[in-house]
Amino acid sequence: MTSGAPSDWYRWIPEQITARDYEQLPEDFCRTIEVIDGHIVKCESPSRLHNRVARRIAARMEAARKPEPRLMVETDVDVRLSDVPLSLRRPDVVVYRCLDDDSKLYADDTVLVVEIVSPDSSHHTDTVEKKAAYAVAGIPVYLIVFLTEAGDGIDQIEEYRLSEGRYHLVCLHTRRLTLDVPVPLDIAFGDMTTA
């Protein structure tokens, strides 16, 4: 739908939307939702710390990429888990195999996702629902970043690797995030949060 859409455009949205319906939605609206089995789920606006951590993780991962395999790093983009029924999530950080900019990003192309859990966000969504959905979709690495209760830093980062169709906790990072694959990374928690 174009920017000249009527102010009540949202009234036509069916209870369960298809991929075609989703393509008709205004881009600004799509940036604020996820779709699970065709049902729209409104996403809360993240905190500044949440956004800063996502940006800094993404920037470090982007800078650390190796020439081969060619990987891209993005923040807050649609990752299609299925077309029918339509299911898509917007991870805080995504590492994926190189695609044309106009191509849809599917879970099959995704090698790592990061979700940041804020004290005021849905803990259950990131630690149970998204973890299960990303595992079923076959995404090899899942990082869950837990912000402190005070919302002023990072408490810990759980690193999950996919094996036999489910995620297994392989490392609990408490002061630094260090990875070897898919992107080598070594970053102190303070470097991700300091203003």
Side-chain angles (χ1 to χ4, degrees):
M1 199 168 272
T2 64
S3 59
S7 60
D8 65 346
W9 60 266
Y10 55 87
R11 294 182 191 272
W12 70 264
I13 299 174
E15 185 175 319
Q16 191 169 17
I17 68 168
T18 65
R20 186 167 185 244
D21 295 333
Y22 184 76
E23 302 301 329
Q24 299 299 312
L25 296 173
E27 283 183 38
D28 288 349
F29 179 71
C30 289
R31 289 188 194 109
T32 67
I33 65 169
E34 293 180 331
V35 181
I36 291 77
D37 294 330
H39 300 283
I40 291 176
V41 176
K42 187 86 168 111
C43 299
E44 299 296 322
S45 294
S47 67
R48 290 190 302 269
L49 176 63
H50 179 285
N51 286 341
R52 185 180 318 130
V53 170
R55 277 194 327 271
R56 291 187 178 166
I57 290 173
R60 285 291 186 94
M61 287 183 170
E62 191 167 50
R65 293 175 300 166
K66 297 178 180 178
E68 292 297 327
R70 285 194 61 208
L71 297 174
M72 301 295 292
V73 182
E74 304 289 346
T75 58
D76 195 36
V77 296
D78 289 351
V79 174
R80 292 243 180 153
L81 306 179
S82 68
D83 282 329
V84 179
L86 180 63
S87 286
L88 59 87
R89 293 289 192 168
R90 296 182 65 84
D92 295 311
V93 180
V94 181
V95 180
Y96 61 96
R97 293 179 196 91
C98 200
L99 298 170
D100 292 334
D101 282 341
D102 60 347
S103 297
K104 289 178 179 50
L105 174 56
Y106 283 90
D108 289 349
D109 299 308
T110 305
V111 296
L112 177 144
V113 291
V114 178
E115 293 288 359
I116 300 168
V117 181
S118 302
D120 57 350
S121 69
S122 174
H123 185 272
H124 185 266
T125 300
D126 292 331
T127 61
V128 177
E129 294 171 16
K130 289 184 180 181
K131 187 164 81 171
Y134 294 151
V136 168
I139 298 172
V141 182
Y142 182 34
L143 301 178
I144 306 176
V145 178
F146 293 90
L147 300 182
T148 60
E149 275 301 313
D152 59 358
I154 297 172
D155 183 41
Q156 64 185 21
I157 300 176
E158 294 177 354
E159 178 186 347
Y160 292 91
R161 301 284 174 126
L162 192 64
S163 175
E164 299 177 4
R166 53 186 288 249
Y167 284 128
H168 298 274
L169 181 65
V170 295
C171 189
L172 181 62
H173 304 269
T174 57
R175 292 197 175 106
R176 309 183 70 80
L177 173 59
T178 55
L179 296 174
D180 51 356
V181 292
V183 177
L185 190 67
D186 183 9
I187 181 172
F189 283 7
D191 291 341
M192 291 185 264
T193 59
T194 307

